[in-house]
Amino acid sequence: MLTYTPPHEQDLPPATEKPWLLLLLCLAWLLPGLLGREPLKPDEIIVSDIVRHLLDGGSWSLPQMAGEPWLERAPLFYWVAAGFAYLGQWLGLSLHEGARLATGAWMALALWGVGLAAREQIGRRHGRSAVLILIGCVGLLMPGHSLSGDVAVLAGWGWGIYALALAPRLPFPAGVLLGVAMAVCGLAGSLAEAALLLVLALGLLLFRHWRFQRYALTLIIAMAIALPLIASWPLTLRQVAPAAFTSWYDIYSLGFFGGFAQLRALHPFGYYLSLLPWFAWPSWFLAGATLWMQRDRLHQPRFQLPLLAGGLTLLCLLLSDSGRAGYALLLLPPLALIGAVGLDVLRRGAASFINWFGVLTFGFLALYIWVIWSAMHLGSPARLSERIRELAPSFEASLSIPALVLAVLMTAAWLWAVSRSRTMGRQAVTNWAAGITLCWGLATAFASGWVDARTSYRDFAASLAGQLPKHECVSSENLQSNQRAALHYYLGLNTSRREIHPDSDCRWLLRQGGRETLSAPPGWQEVWQGARPGDRNERYYLYRKPVV
């Protein structure tokens, strides 16, 4: 008798991918942008100043930015970044470049954890599928190369999902991994992320696959490891700086829900719903197509874990008071895991859409970046060259042969990658991941100096430095956190904030204004005014009070 086997149950075609090619692609995605550029605002310059405070002998229990406690996130990422920055000094790297290597390390761990989770939950070959989907996500590109504790939380979350996938087979190692993952989430983010991972672990008891006797051992081991580690920092902070501990506990301890004294919920509706269509592309499309194709198999464990993880995360984000893109990173691993299930049997039309959309989009974008390089270094096209100089007047193009050679090699590698023949769904995500890697690599190789000239506070700080007094008090008005961090990071200047100390007797005042010119306050004389090159929205004024 002839029997019919559904497509998703048939034997998959033999693998044609080489593991070393996946590793090479991951490195090509990870490394560009970590070195050779100044800190961006707002997060990078703040983290750079916190790391400088730690390396200058500050308290490792009390992160400080521009002389003030900074408690929005727990300090694990700052500790690791400070360690990399210290080692980077031996290699001749600047502090922020060395610290940014920590971002690469955490992102590598995140990719590894999600890949292991897919391999354990879905099967062999699917680990690489999940990794390709993850690095292809548009929203991961900037956080994955920036100084931000969000990548450490993402790594903890990915390894936590892997631990839960591993629990039915190896309960004891899974408990250890789960405990460490919860500790990373709690020590790099807040109690909310650690609690979310715990709720996910408990929620799996709804499904038969996780209702076995030794699963309780997994949870007990995890809690025995996680609780002491997570509690260690708040308890130390309470001893070192009781006021700072109270501020953290009341305002920041619950992350996207605020703190215990100021519990916040319900952000302006629609933020995450408008963010996710581009932020999580193409993972949400692949996940949606997979769920539709295999809607009769959603009871399988390979769907239950990522669906519950994604559902709990989305619910928390929609109920939270925070409209912050970094929190949405937690949605990407579950979407990548779901998308990986159906990747090899993706409908030809859907796979072709992603494939050709990616090839055309990134192909034209890469071509445009090459045109920008021509405008920067060859002056052609002339109109674009003039516009580039207008937007960043202080930028001086200098031809880098190594960067040019690397860009040519990356372009050639992309052309080779998109010409290879593979299973249609796998070809689509491979070409997409290769395309986004190419464009990011070209942008960092060609435009990092221009971005620094336009957005960095380095030139602004150098211009201001010659006007500041050597040993006198300077007060500030209307400076944001990242601006105060930049002044301290580049100049070692801590200002007395007039918002907090209105009666300050400082003889110098630094104010920020907008497009409209500010006049000197009564009794003050303007000494200097300036702005970041090409920035029309922020202008700074330095005043001095005459000696009577």
Side-chain angles (χ1 to χ4, degrees), residues 153-505:
V153 176
L154 178 65
W157 179 244
W159 279 87
I161 292 176
Y162 169 56
L164 294 172
L166 184 65
R169 188 167 65 89
L170 297 172
F172 182 81
V176 175
L177 286 177
L178 181 60
V180 174
M182 289 174 59
V184 169
C185 289
L187 289 174
S190 70
L191 299 181
E193 288 92 337
L196 179 61
L197 190 51
L198 175 60
V199 172
L200 172 61
L202 294 174
L204 289 175
L205 290 170
L206 295 172
F207 308 119
R208 181 184 304 173
H209 187 67
W210 282 271
R211 283 203 303 268
F212 58 94
Q213 186 173 2
R214 290 194 298 171
Y215 186 61
L217 176 64
T218 300
L219 298 180
I220 293 173
I221 294 173
M223 295 301 294
I225 293 174
L227 285 180
L229 291 176
I230 295 175
S232 61
W233 172 67
L235 293 177
T236 304
L237 179 64
R238 186 176 184 179
Q239 292 182 340
V240 172
F245 168 80
T246 301
S247 177
W248 170 80
Y249 182 84
D250 291 345
I251 304 173
Y252 303 113
S253 56
L254 297 180
F256 38 72
F257 287 115
F260 285 99
Q262 298 183 19
L263 190 64
R264 301 189 301 269
L266 299 178
H267 67 282
F269 181 75
Y271 173 80
Y272 290 105
L273 296 181
S274 62
L275 173 77
L276 291 175
W278 68 266
F279 188 90
W281 177 268
S283 63
W284 68 262
F285 180 85
L286 293 168
T290 299
L291 293 176
W292 175 254
M293 288 189 305
Q294 305 201 23
R295 56 190 179 276
D296 58 334
R297 286 170 168 74
L298 299 186
H299 61 279
Q300 295 177 348
R302 60 182 180 175
F303 286 113
Q304 291 170 339
L305 174 56
L307 279 175
L308 184 59
L312 288 174
T313 303
L314 184 60
L315 179 64
C316 287
L317 295 182
L318 294 178
L319 293 178
S320 74
D321 182 58
S322 174
R324 186 171 178 273
Y327 291 133
L329 291 175
L330 299 181
L331 283 171
L332 300 184
L335 290 174
L337 291 173
I338 296 172
V341 174
L343 188 61
D344 288 324
V345 292
L346 191 64
R347 298 274 177 87
R348 187 173 184 86
S352 296
F353 169 72
I354 293 179
N355 184 46
W356 287 111
F357 180 65
V359 170
L360 293 176
T361 299
F362 294 120
F364 281 117
L365 182 56
L367 178 62
Y368 181 65
I369 297 174
W370 274 107
V371 172
I372 290 176
W373 177 87
S374 176
M376 285 180 174
H377 298 281
L378 305 179
S380 177
R383 182 173 297 181
L384 180 59
S385 180
E386 293 175 1
R387 183 59 175 167
I388 289 172
R389 287 195 298 269
E390 178 185 341
L391 291 175
S394 65
F395 172 69
E396 296 182 3
S398 59
L399 181 62
S400 172
I401 299 300
L404 180 60
V405 171
L406 181 61
V408 171
L409 291 176
M410 291 187 69
T411 305
W414 176 77
L415 291 172
W416 171 76
V418 298
S419 65
R420 296 180 69 212
S421 177
R422 293 174 294 276
T423 306
M424 200 60 194
R426 195 172 294 271
Q427 180 179 9
V429 296
T430 301
N431 289 350
W432 184 278
I436 202 170
T437 300
L438 169 67
C439 291
W440 175 251
L442 293 179
T444 55
F446 293 159
S448 290
W450 182 85
V451 172
D452 284 345
R454 178 165 171 77
T455 65
S456 171
Y457 284 102
R458 178 194 57 198
D459 294 338
F460 155 73
S463 176
L464 177 62
Q467 307 296 328
L468 288 171
K470 296 296 183 182
H471 304 291
E472 291 190 52
C473 172
V474 179
S475 60
S476 63
E477 183 175 288
N478 201 31
L479 293 187
Q480 299 174 2
S481 298
N482 58 84
Q483 294 153 355
R484 290 183 284 111
L487 291 173
H488 187 256
Y489 181 69
Y490 287 111
L491 304 179
L493 173 65
N494 284 333
T495 62
S496 175
R497 298 171 60 190
R498 298 188 78 184
E499 297 87 352
I500 300 177
H501 307 288
D503 299 326
S504 172
D505 58 355

Side-chain angles (χ1 to χ4, degrees), residues 41-59:
K41 71 169 191 176
D43 289 345
E44 283 206 310
I45 190 64
I46 290 175
V47 175
S48 297
D49 191 52
I50 293 173
V51 171
R52 167 151 290 175
H53 161 76
L54 295 177
L55 294 182
D56 286 345
S59 171

Side-chain angles (χ1 to χ4, degrees), residues 531-544:
R532 293 184 299 163
D535 191 340
R536 300 178 180 177
N537 297 318
E538 297 177 5
R539 191 153 192 88
Y540 302 90
Y541 303 83
L542 182 64
Y543 306 106
R544 180 180 60 196

